[in-house]
Amino acid sequence: NAFYAAELATFTKAPGAGTDEGITLPSYMLRAARKARGNRFAPVTLHVYDTFWLTMKAGLPTFHTGVEVLGTEFAYGDMGICCCRPGEYDVVRYRKAVPLGRTDLRDQEVLLVLRELQQEWPGEAYSLNGHNCQTFAAAFCDRLGLEHSCIPAEFLVFADPWLVAPWEVAAILGNRDSKGVAEPGLPPSPKDRKSTRLNSSH
């Protein structure tokens, strides 16, 4: 795909590229619009990064995700939608690339989707609880016309809102297992219920 190759080749020439701040989405859109030629079937890739501090606290596999299309990786955070060279959002914590398929949209249509998403996903709306980078990745892939199951479930653990924070559940379960009893607020495990019945029979 000529568009894809051109984006990879010219990204470092854009203002802000090659620095910690990266290139802004509007700057990307301006350059990309000039190169759009109506091509279709651009490959879509999920880039996955470890979030060590959260993983350690939660005891759960938690990841930052970005979606690559047209030679650029797009992700959502508290500054809104950002873009960077594929796999370079956080090089130190980079884990893997997951091919998701190809989009039927033409490159101009992909840019239109990004413009709409920029309005729909402002930075101030970011929330770790159900409106985060994983939520955005799923929404972006959906708008690109990919299958709902294209992103492996392990990379969408934090995509939906939760009633109790996962790290709180992990802490409660850890305490229960170490004490051998059920904590208040959680139903007893089958093992706990069996022990209760045996004790009551004596």
Side-chain angles (χ1 to χ4, degrees):
N1 185 303
F3 189 109
Y4 181 85
E7 281 301 281
L8 288 177
T10 63
F11 196 99
T12 54
K13 299 177 183 178
T19 67
D20 292 338
E21 63 191 49
I23 184 174
T24 65
L25 185 58
S27 297
Y28 167 83
M29 299 284 286
L30 181 63
R31 292 188 306 108
R34 294 171 181 162
K35 291 194 283 288
R37 294 293 183 270
N39 296 320
R40 298 177 62 187
F41 307 117
V44 181
T45 302
L46 185 77
H47 291 280
V48 182
Y49 304 81
D50 285 316
T51 53
F52 293 127
W53 66 272
L54 194 53
T55 302
M56 292 171 59
K57 184 175 182 180
L60 297 171
T62 58
F63 307 99
H64 169 79
T65 55
V67 176
E68 175 192 350
V69 65
L70 300 181
T72 302
E73 178 183 338
F74 303 91
Y76 177 65
D78 57 7
M79 298 297 289
I81 299 174
C82 64
C83 51
C84 63
R85 297 180 68 178
E88 295 191 4
Y89 176 85
D90 188 339
V91 177
V92 175
R93 297 182 178 181
Y94 187 73
R95 173 176 284 260
K96 65 189 301 185
V98 182
L100 302 179
R102 292 177 178 270
T103 176
D104 286 338
L105 299 183
R106 298 185 185 279
D107 47 18
Q108 297 102 325
E109 294 173 315
V110 173
L111 297 179
L112 180 59
V113 166
L114 284 167
R115 181 173 288 113
E116 294 171 348
L117 290 173
Q118 183 183 13
Q119 302 300 316
E120 299 169 12
W121 292 77
E124 58 268 22
Y126 177 85
S127 172
L128 181 60
N129 186 2
H131 199 78
N132 51 53
C133 62
Q134 295 184 6
T135 318
F136 171 77
F140 190 16
C141 288
D142 183 63
R143 297 282 278 273
L144 291 175
L146 301 181
E147 295 290 335
H148 290 296
S149 59
C150 69
I151 300 179
E154 64 185 297
F155 303 130
L156 294 175
V157 173
F158 285 82
D160 296 321
W162 60 77
L163 296 178
V164 180
W167 53 82
E168 293 181 6
V169 174
I172 293 173
L173 292 176
N175 289 336
R176 186 193 67 182
D177 291 340
S178 64
K179 296 176 182 178
V181 296
E183 293 290 331
L186 287 177
S189 68
K191 180 180 177 181
D192 294 331
R193 288 197 295 268
K194 182 177 180 181
S195 298
T196 302
R197 288 197 300 270
L198 288 176
N199 292 333
S200 61
S201 64
H202 290 293

